[in-house]
Structure formats: C-alpha cells, structure tokens
Amino acid sequence: MKAIQNAWAALVLLVLSLSGSIANAEVTLFAQGAWYVTSDERNGVTNCSAVTRNARPQWFGLTGWDDGLAAILIVDPSWNLRRREVDFVISIDGSNWDVTGNASGERVAIEFRPTDTTSAFLDDIASGYQLTVLNEDRQSVAAFSLSGSRAAIGAFFACWADLGQSSDPF
C-alpha cells in the first residue's frame, strides 16, 4: 500500500513539475468570493483547479487531471520542502482535520479520493469561512478565505467531470 501511495505522490509531483505554476496558460472558468476555477492544458495533460490565494502569496486548492487523479494542494513559493511525507492539521473555523500529505519543493499534495471523509472535509470547506494550515506544533503556516468555496467546489467538479468526456464520436 505504501508503494502505491509513493508512486501516486511521485506521479502528482511529476505532473505538477510538467505543468509549472498554476498561473501560466490557464483559462479562468469561474470566480466568486476568494475562489476561482481554471482549466489548463499543457504537454497533453489537462487539469481543472479550484483555488483560493492569500496575500503571501500562498494558495490552497483542488486539482483534478484528465486521467482521473486529483489532489488537494497547498503551495507557498517561499517554501523549499524536502521530499517527504508530512503530518499537519487543516483547521476550518476551528474544526480540525489531521492530514498526511506529500511535501516537495514549494508544495504539499494530499491524495484526493472519493470517500465519506473526503466528502465531509469538502462540506466543511464549502460551509466554512476560514481555513488555516497548522504544522505539527499547531502553529499557523497559512490561512485562506473560504468565501465562494461552495460555488467553486461545484464548478470544479463540473469541470473535472468534463475532462473525461471525449468529443470523438468514433
């Protein structure tokens, strides 16, 4: 199981390195509150993302690719994280979620799987006001507004579902 998780993490990091920064060559599909949804295609790989940024400029978001993989990403251009698994807390209006992610460079990626826990986590984001990322010592390393998150999450899932649709009738 650990080998599968490591392979998945390596694939996510490879796709992220191929696609570069989220701000390049993307099309904004939706924006509301602090969130926006984009679609991007590079090197034959297409993705959709729902993102919120803060003033640092860090970003938090969901990204789904055309192969069905998806991840929750936390990015800070000033980070220089060595590749490893990290445990941390995501606090949504004081409700804490213990999370394990894969760190590398300026990103932490959390595998996104369709489970009841993921659904409850996304419901908290959609109904929340503030998301704070806390390290293992419970110190804040990032904070984001959740204004507009409910609509952005809906738009993200619509975009991601469309990625699997082929326009080739044969």
Side-chain angles (χ1 to χ4, degrees):
M1 184 66 171
K2 191 68 156 179
I4 292 171
Q5 289 176 331
N6 289 340
W8 185 91
L11 179 61
V12 167
L13 294 172
L14 173 65
V15 170
L16 289 173
S17 67
L18 290 174
S19 64
S21 170
I22 193 166
N24 295 332
E26 66 189 14
V27 175
T28 300
L29 305 173
F30 173 87
Q32 182 173 329
W35 286 72
Y36 60 95
V37 176
T38 62
S39 177
D40 192 4
E41 182 177 356
R42 288 180 223 198
N43 302 322
V45 177
T46 305
N47 70 65
C48 293
S49 296
V51 173
T52 182
R53 293 181 185 265
N54 63 23
R56 291 189 66 178
Q58 300 166 317
W59 63 264
F60 173 93
L62 313 170
T63 298
W65 291 273
D66 54 6
D67 62 1
L69 290 177
I72 297 168
L73 302 171
I74 305 163
V75 178
D76 184 326
S78 72
W79 290 344
N80 186 18
L81 305 169
R82 68 181 160 75
R83 185 175 289 204
R84 69 187 191 281
E85 197 171 82
V86 292
D87 295 320
F88 58 101
V89 174
I90 294 179
S91 180
I92 302 166
D93 298 338
S95 175
N96 291 338
W97 292 84
D98 294 321
V99 180
T100 299
N102 294 297
S104 182
E106 61 187 31
R107 298 173 172 94
V108 175
I110 305 157
E111 185 175 355
F112 184 94
R113 295 183 180 172
T115 66
D116 290 342
T117 301
T118 302
S119 181
F121 179 69
L122 293 176
D123 284 345
D124 269 8
I125 291 172
S127 61
Y129 295 99
Q130 177 82 17
L131 183 147
T132 305
V133 179
L134 307 167
N135 64 18
E136 282 187 297
D137 297 327
R138 300 282 201 239
Q139 295 180 358
S140 176
V141 296
F144 304 95
S145 170
L146 296 177
S147 171
S149 58
R150 178 173 304 282
I153 290 170
F156 163 77
F157 278 107
C159 177
W160 190 32
D162 286 346
L163 292 182
Q165 305 285 329
S166 172
S167 59
D168 184 348
F170 301 98

